[in-house]
């Protein structure tokens, strides 16, 4: 096992933060040696769910808003608009409190009820689109709604996480920087993908220190992000029905597909073996690693990201009836 450099825990406790802003980042890196005890295999998980908003999206939300402020595109009183039904909306609502901004999240009926309640509690405005688009989903209607709101609301600004360069840069400086400071050897980065901000930013920083690094993207069965046929996806988090502007396909070495059932099993294995209660996409990366383990030679060092907490998934991956319903439909191994 390699030496991991870290800060002295007693030092961390002495810090007093001016606001929740500076509590974003510096998430723990934990070796998953119970779940992956194989000789020579080192799997390190970055607990991104320990950010104050409960997900890694605190990083891009803070960076995209602060850069917007720096560049004069937004200021106190501006109105932030984004198409988001989950973690980014919650993170934007947090940062909006600190900078005196209004936030509107454009969502669709697939939003998890808990997320809808959280967004409202946090003071975000919610615009629900009800009409499906030509593809049978809501993506295009949500984007059309964003454009309508931009026209209607004065001093409004679209965050546009799929194309905003400060999305991936937040992970380049944050997640990637923290991992290179902690590890001396690394062969693989395995991460779930939706906007691709986290995998692009983290891998770019890691490759500066570990030039031979291989980057494995984990996508959901049913997502067309990497050109596969679109299908039913029940878990929020990874996957997309479009190709993000931020994605540079040539920087990804391999794509592994994981379905909802496999992700649920991955979540449960993480909880059972490591006591880590994480969200659906954390289960997806664990399932992907389990699929890949037999293909690796001895002596592989891996880092992965665990993007959000388990609580918001109690009615999904942690609900036996939800898992059994997938099993009845035969939606088991992909
Ligand atoms: C829970 C979860 N996991 C993974 C991802 C994928 O991250 P990215 O958008 O950086 O590709 C997201 C993005 O929304 C997410 O919410």
């Amino acid at each position: 096992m390699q030496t991991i450099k870290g800060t002295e825990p007693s030092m961390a406790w002495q810090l007093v933060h001016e606001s929740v802003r500076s509590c974003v980042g510096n998430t723990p890196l934990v070796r998953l040696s119970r779940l992956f005890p194989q000789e020579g295999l080192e799997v390190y998980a970055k607990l991104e769910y320990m950010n104050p908003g409960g997900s890694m999206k605190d990083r891009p939300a803070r960076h995209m808003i602060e850069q917007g402020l720096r560049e004069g595109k937004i200021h106190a009183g501006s109105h932030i608009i984004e198409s988001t039904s989950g973690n980014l909306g919650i993170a934007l609502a947090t940062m909006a409190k600190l900078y005196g901004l209004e936030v509107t999240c454009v969502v669709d009926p697939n939003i998890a009820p808990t997320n809808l309640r959280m967004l409202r509690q946090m003071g975000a405005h919610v615009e629900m689109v009800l009409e499906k688009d030509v593809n049978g989903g809501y993506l295009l209607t949500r984007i059309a709604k964003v454009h309508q709101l931009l026209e209607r609301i004065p001093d409004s600004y679209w965050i546009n996480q799929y194309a905003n360069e400060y999305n991936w840069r937040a992970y380049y400086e944050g997640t990637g920087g923290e991992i290179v400071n902690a590890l001396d050897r690394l062969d693989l980065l395995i991460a779930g993908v939706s906007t691709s901000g986290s995998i692009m930013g983290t891998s770019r920083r890691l490759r500066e220190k570990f030039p031979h690094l291989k980057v494995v993207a984990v996508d959901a069965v049913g997502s067309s992000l990497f050109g596969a046929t679109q299908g039913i996806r029940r878990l929020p988090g990874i996957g997309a029905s479009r190709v993000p502007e931020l994605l540079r396909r040539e920087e990804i070495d391999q794509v592994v597909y994981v379905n909802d059932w496999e992700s649920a099993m991955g979540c449960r294995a993480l909880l059972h073996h490591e006591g880590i209660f994480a969200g659906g996409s954390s289960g997806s990366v664990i399932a992907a690693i389990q699929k890949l383990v037999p293909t690796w030679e001895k002596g592989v060092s891996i880092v992965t990201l665990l993007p959000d907490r388990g609580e918001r998934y109690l009615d999904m991956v942690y609900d036996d009836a939800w898992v059994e319903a997938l099993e009845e439909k035969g939606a088991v191994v992909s």
Side-chain angles (χ1 to χ4, degrees):
M1 175 165 160
Q2 55 185 313
T3 328
I4 302 171
K5 296 169 215 136
T7 48
E8 192 53 49
S10 57
M11 294 282 287
W13 290 113
Q14 285 167 22
L15 290 174
V16 174
H17 293 266
E18 281 301 316
S19 76
V20 83
R21 181 212 169 272
S22 54
C23 304
V24 175
N26 291 314
T27 54
L29 195 57
V30 172
R31 183 165 176 193
L32 305 181
S33 49
R34 289 156 193 82
L35 188 51
F36 297 105
Q38 293 87 339
E39 202 197 325
L41 179 61
E42 294 178 6
V43 180
Y44 298 95
K46 186 92 168 127
L47 307 191
E48 289 289 275
Y49 64 77
M50 288 188 69
N51 280 298
S55 87
M56 65 180 183
K57 291 285 177 177
D58 282 354
R59 295 182 190 267
R62 180 177 73 176
H63 203 45
M64 291 187 291
I65 284 184
E66 290 184 349
Q67 288 298 333
L69 288 162
R70 244 173 241 135
E71 291 169 11
K73 291 177 180 157
I74 47 180
H75 46 83
S78 292
H79 198 128
I80 299 293
I81 299 184
E82 183 60 315
S83 167
T84 166
S85 41
N87 290 324
L88 185 70
I90 290 162
L92 289 173
T94 308
M95 291 300 145
K97 292 265 177 250
L98 306 182
Y99 290 109
L101 307 165
E102 293 288 316
V103 177
T104 291
C105 296
V106 178
V107 306
D108 65 50
N110 292 331
I111 186 170
T114 311
N115 285 359
L116 190 58
R117 289 176 63 189
M118 279 184 75
L119 287 174
R120 291 198 165 124
Q121 277 297 323
M122 297 178 82
H125 307 272
V126 176
E127 283 276 346
M128 172 89 70
V129 301
L130 297 171
E131 234 174 83
K132 288 194 174 171
D133 60 29
V134 285
N135 303 322
Y138 293 98
L139 181 75
L140 300 179
T141 22
R142 285 214 261 166
I143 300 299
K145 176 58 84 179
V146 166
H147 286 292
Q148 268 177 26
L149 293 172
L150 288 170
E151 270 177 37
R152 200 203 305 152
I153 302 174
D155 196 9
S156 52
Y157 177 76
W158 182 20
I159 286 283
N160 198 5
Q161 58 170 330
Y162 283 85
N164 190 321
E165 294 288 319
Y166 297 117
N167 178 356
W168 72 263
R169 285 188 180 280
Y171 296 97
Y172 175 90
E173 284 160 26
T175 317
E178 292 160 29
I179 296 170
V180 297
N181 284 338
L183 295 177
D184 293 324
R185 199 180 78 223
L186 195 60
D187 302 304
L188 282 151
L189 165 69
I190 302 190
V193 181
S194 180
T195 67
S196 79
S198 51
I199 199 166
M200 288 287 111
T202 306
S203 64
R204 283 172 187 158
R205 184 60 177 268
L206 295 183
R207 277 187 163 134
E208 289 174 5
K209 180 166 177 184
F210 310 107
H212 69 283
L213 184 90
K214 294 260 174 299
V215 178
V216 179
V218 181
D219 195 7
V221 171
S223 156
S224 55
L225 223 158
F226 290 100
T229 315
Q230 227 164 278
I232 302 167
R233 289 182 283 129
R234 295 166 190 85
L235 278 178
I238 59 167
S241 49
R242 56 170 294 193
V243 180
E245 287 85 342
L246 295 181
L247 178 68
R248 295 285 170 273
R249 182 64 184 81
E250 64 281 10
E251 294 179 37
I252 307 284
D253 296 291
Q254 189 178 358
V255 180
V256 177
Y257 285 94
V258 175
N259 69 22
D260 294 329
W261 185 84
E262 291 166 326
S263 299
M265 293 305 113
C267 283
R268 287 162 178 240
L270 197 52
L271 185 55
H272 181 75
H273 293 281
E274 302 282 354
I276 292 178
F277 185 42
S281 65
S282 299
S284 313
V285 292
I286 295 303
I289 297 171
Q290 286 171 330
K291 283 184 187 197
L292 292 173
V293 165
T295 69
W296 293 321
E297 295 154 18
K298 274 191 174 175
V300 181
S301 185
I302 300 162
V303 73
T304 191
L305 312 180
L306 304 186
D308 68 356
R309 294 184 194 148
E311 286 91 332
R312 294 172 205 164
Y313 300 82
L314 279 171
D315 297 333
M316 291 180 262
V317 297
Y318 295 106
D319 178 31
D320 291 345
W322 189 87
V323 172
E324 280 159 22
L326 290 180
E327 287 166 359
E328 276 160 26
K329 289 188 187 103
V332 182
V333 180
S334 63

